[in-house]
Amino acid sequence: MINLSDRLKTIYDLVAPGETVADVGTDAGLLPAALLESGRSPKVIMTDISGGSLNKCRNFIAKNLPAGFIEGQHFELRLGDGLQALAPSEVDTVVMAGIGGMLSIDILSRDLSLSHSFKKIILQPRKHVGRLRYWLWNHDFHILREDLAREGRFIWPVITAEHGLRACFVNQDPDDIENEFPLTLLKYRNDLTVEYLENALRLEKEKLDSKASGKLTSPLELKTQEHRVERLEYLISRL
């Protein structure tokens, strides 16, 4: 049995049984191999801009899955950048995990009609999660659920989204803390939520102390940082 990290297991569980999957930027292909091995997904497509990564996938599958899994029938390896290696609606679920939020935005925005064609998109950004949420909300995506998953010493957000009703926040800034720490974190809380928010609060308080003692900090910068601390304190108080 293929062992997955908690982060990849969280993403694995978000794939419904019977869904076809494309893993964009697949690297070693652990998640697709696990989906195939268990029978959870009848077919997976692994894409990457690196031919070396795709060769790693091919070798990993050959070593870890039974010989009955046939390339071209049960799985495909495609060299390509982002979603461009996929046809519209070709799979049910697209996974983009372990890449930055800004890169995720870049990939999704290249062809919105293509991005909207898939039933579900699972995103696990390494950073800029607030900007990614803001982009999704303003480009006809609906966030179905929020999850948190641990890998090593980090806790990572996992966003599941679908094409749906547009929620346009025209008066909101992409960097507003409400995008980074939305109320949906409370709705979908798990045993990592308190630690995730408390870690963020500690960092924001350190920034506030630094700004408060800085001679060049403007009143607006200080007020903005105070609001970030208050937002996190409010969320923690609601847990």
Side-chain angles (χ1 to χ4, degrees):
M1 179 177 291
I2 295 170
N3 291 321
L4 297 177
S5 67
D6 289 345
R7 177 180 68 92
L8 290 180
K9 181 61 168 58
T10 297
I11 297 171
Y12 173 98
D13 289 338
L14 290 169
V15 176
E19 287 184 340
T20 54
V21 176
D23 188 24
V24 176
T26 191
D27 194 30
L30 269 70
L31 175 66
L35 290 168
L36 287 171
E37 180 188 46
S38 67
R40 194 174 190 89
S41 180
K43 183 175 181 179
V44 296
I45 299 173
M46 292 162 270
T47 80
D48 207 287
I49 60 172
S50 166
S53 291
L54 293 179
N55 284 331
K56 281 197 300 182
C57 292
R58 185 176 284 110
N59 293 334
F60 183 82
I61 288 174
K63 291 178 181 178
N64 291 277
L65 294 187
F69 288 98
I70 301 169
E71 185 171 354
Q73 180 179 344
H74 300 102
F75 68 94
E76 293 184 35
L77 302 168
R78 296 184 188 175
L79 189 66
D81 187 4
L83 301 179
Q84 302 308 308
L86 303 173
S89 304
E90 185 175 10
V91 295
D92 298 309
T93 298
V94 169
V95 174
M96 292 195 291
I99 63 176
M102 299 307 293
L103 179 56
S104 298
I105 291 171
D106 177 60
I107 290 171
L108 292 169
S109 62
R110 291 174 194 170
D111 186 341
L112 270 178
S113 62
L114 175 62
S115 299
H116 288 156
S117 72
F118 305 107
K119 176 182 174 183
K120 187 168 68 184
I121 296 180
I122 301 172
L123 302 156
Q124 185 272 295
R126 293 287 186 182
K127 54 184 179 179
H128 296 126
V129 63
R131 281 181 169 263
L132 178 57
R133 285 194 189 94
Y134 180 86
W135 186 91
L136 291 168
W137 285 329
N138 286 281
H139 289 84
D140 298 318
F141 282 96
H142 169 65
I143 294 179
L144 291 168
R145 63 175 294 133
E146 300 262 3
D147 291 273
L148 294 172
R150 188 188 299 280
E151 187 167 82
R153 61 189 182 91
F154 296 103
I155 297 175
W156 301 108
V158 181
I159 297 171
T160 305
E162 65 177 357
H163 177 42
L165 294 176
R166 181 174 184 172
C168 186
F169 298 87
V170 293
N171 295 321
Q172 199 168 348
D173 188 280
D175 290 320
D176 283 350
I177 194 168
E178 287 79 7
N179 302 324
E180 194 171 350
F181 298 99
L183 290 174
T184 45
L185 289 174
L186 303 182
K187 181 179 179 180
Y188 297 108
R189 72 190 71 179
N190 65 15
D191 57 357
L192 297 175
T193 305
V194 172
E195 182 182 352
Y196 179 69
L197 293 175
E198 287 183 343
N199 287 343
L201 177 60
R202 185 181 67 255
L203 292 174
E204 295 299 336
K205 283 185 173 180
E206 289 174 359
K207 292 178 183 178
L208 178 59
D209 290 342
S210 177
K211 289 180 183 294
S213 61
K215 295 181 180 180
L216 299 179
T217 303
S218 71
L220 178 58
E221 288 175 320
L222 189 59
K223 185 176 181 180
T224 299
Q225 189 59 40
E226 288 172 346
H227 173 66
R228 292 181 66 85
V229 169
E230 290 167 359
R231 171 69 174 187
L232 287 162
E233 288 177 335
Y234 170 74
L235 292 175
I236 291 171
S237 73
R238 294 286 303 274
L239 291 172

